[in-house]
Amino acid sequence: MTRPLVVIGAGGFGRETLDVVAAVNAAASTPVYDLLGVIDAGPSELNLRRLADLGVPYLGSETEWLERGESAEYAIGIGAPAVRVRLATLFDDHGLSPATLVHPAVVVGSKSLLDPGVIVCAGVQISTNVQLQRHVHLNPNVTIGHDSILEPFVSVNPGAIVSGEVTVGSGTVIGSGAVILQGLSIGSESVIGAAACVVGDVPPQVTVKGVPAR
Ligand SMILES: CC(C)(COP(=O)(O)OP(=O)(O)OC[C@H]1O[C@@H](n2cnc3c(N)ncnc32)[C@H](O)[C@@H]1OP(=O)(O)O)[C@@H](O)C(=O)NCCC(=O)NCCS
């Protein structure tokens, strides 16, 4: 039986999430998800046109949709961790469950665990014994090394490499093409700049950038 699903966010990552859903459905013998449409509190005209081009219905704001009392799994296709925290709390409080969406062109190693709400785009490599906790986002072509733990609401932007035995604290953003060396601990709500090479632990709530990252 197909599972009703709403995607939250009409922006770039929201529509990348739609592609993941389409690929999951196409790879299965019968579609897994019945995509009801996209929820967004303030979509731009351009993004509404982009949704229309995809043939995906726009369902209104989260408040409008939740007031209708429909039941569906939800996926938050929004890159900013703080926004994801707010929306996940809201949808969970309404008794709805987050879907775990993994593009079929993803390699997931043995003993790796992906929690509800995780979204993984095409080309990602997840090694062995990795934990992706709730609502972690992995953008295209990310690599996550063995025994690493990504805490809730971490976002890893395209092409970044997290080496083995790394811990990334909740709500941290790892910029495109950044490299985190093995065994390091990255604090929560930090930002790693695009193309940074992180060679030491990073405290919570700081931004580091450059090679080596400072
Ligand atoms: C590092 C980052 C968080 C800094 O953002 P910010 O605080 O708004 O910084 P600014 O753009 O004001 O730039 C401040 C300085 O840092 C430099 N800088 C910005 N990003 C940098 C980066 N990734 N590496 C090295 N230097 C960088 C700027 O050139 C500027 O230098 P200056 O003071 O000598 O002029 C941001 O640039 C970044 O890399 N974010 C990740 C983006 C990403 O992954 N995007 C993909 C989305 S899918």
Side-chain angles (χ1 to χ4, degrees), residues 139 157-158 174-176 191-195 207-210:
N139 278 269
N157 287 343
I174 298 178
S176 298
V191 178
I192 312 298
T207 296
V208 297
K209 62 193 180 204

Side-chain angles (χ1 to χ4, degrees), residues 98-103 106-109 111-121 124 126-127 129-136 138 150:
T100 304
L101 299 175
V102 180
H103 195 287
V106 166
V107 175
V108 182
K111 302 291 181 192
S112 288
L113 298 175
L114 281 62
D115 280 353
V118 166
I119 301 175
V120 185
C121 295
V124 169
I126 299 168
S127 185
N129 194 35
V130 167
Q131 280 183 43
L132 302 180
Q133 298 183 357
R134 290 172 69 83
H135 296 285
V136 163
L138 303 184
L150 276 57

